[in-house]
Amino acid sequence: MNVLITGIAGFIGYSLAQRLLSEGFSVYGIDNLNDYYDVSLKKARLEKLQTFQNLTFQKIDVCEREKIRDLFCAIQFDYVFHLAAQAGVRYSIENPFAYGDSNLSGFLNILEACRNAPPRHFIFASSSSVYGANRKVPFSISDSVDHPVSLYAATKKANELMAHAYSHLYEIPTTGLRFFTVYGPWGRPDMAYFKFVDAIAHDRPIEVYNYGKMRRDFTYVDDVVEGIVRIARHPPECVESTTNTSSKARFKVYNIGNNNPVELLEFINAIESAMGEKANMIMKPMQPGDVVETYADIEELKEKIAFSPSTSIEDGISRFVEWYTKYYVRL
């Protein structure tokens, strides 16, 4: 089967590609290799993927409409995993147009390509950020997501609405995945856990926001990939509307989270234990666009695909620290 992964040099894209390549799928990957974070890390991920003969990579930005159109004209994809996006809550405050270009215009280009050459299943990355200012926990997919607190979150909510419209109009089986704080080996250097480990390794202090009074549903990357693969095998079916607000489109949204939020200071303790060093913490107030807690309700995930993440924080952090140490020693 032919599979397209956009953002293949990114953290989740790389991890998913490794899994699918090892299972024998013909994987086509695109990425613009932008400099939002260390490009050498993205290239190193690609180097590992290119050891597989069943990988084809092209440097394409999802904003390049003609190149996207030509790619879909040349190859009929069975599955499309759209993971390319401009990430980061805080970066969206400083660089809003990057989010309009990649997360809105780029997303529309992929939707149009899928309209003209429909895959068996279109799966795209949403985010737990869509829950915004919601106070009810755990966050359920049935909750209102009308109050985003960052532009990044607003673009992800827009993606869900756009994808639903295309699924409804063109009967494209579509699933959106609301990821909750994904971490692990080969992760993103802009994420807090990566910054903490890097700072401790170089005897620098770490900045702890909201004075450490935050909780995150940290989700290990292998659990995320397992969830994606299982969901891909279950494209949503057309169902009759049961309420005035429900949809009969072949469209579904899932939370992909650990269902076990962890206090930020507890998470830092796990890092200290894995590294055998103490962190020098500088306490700071909450940053704009941030939220106090994320917590995924994954009952639908359990019910529909019989899956829930299982990696503990201690195991996940230990594996990340082991990778970090080997990778940066190699450099």
Side-chain angles (χ1 to χ4, degrees), residues 204-272:
R204 298 194 309 268
I206 65 174
E207 296 180 340
V208 181
Y209 292 98
N210 201 36
Y211 309 101
K213 298 175 182 177
M214 301 173 78
R215 283 156 53 93
R216 288 289 180 270
D217 207 348
F218 296 101
T219 313
Y220 190 65
V221 66
D222 287 358
D223 289 331
V224 168
V225 168
E226 179 65 25
I228 295 172
V229 170
R230 291 196 189 197
I231 287 167
R233 300 184 187 123
H234 295 84
E237 297 297 330
C238 181
V239 296
E240 287 300 320
S241 298
T242 56
T243 70
N244 290 335
T245 58
S246 63
S247 167
K248 64 177 182 179
R250 299 189 66 184
F251 179 85
K252 186 72 180 170
V253 172
Y254 289 101
N255 285 335
I256 306 288
N258 208 36
N259 190 228
N260 182 30
V262 174
E263 295 280 354
L264 185 55
L265 294 180
E266 181 183 340
F267 190 73
I268 293 171
N269 285 340
I271 292 174
E272 291 174 327

Side-chain angles (χ1 to χ4, degrees), residues 9 14 37 46 93 149 196 213 233 247 300 325:
Y14 158 77
Y37 62 79
L46 274 179
I93 295 172
V149 295
F196 291 165
K213 298 175 182 177
R233 300 184 187 123
S247 167
E300 288 250 7
T325 303

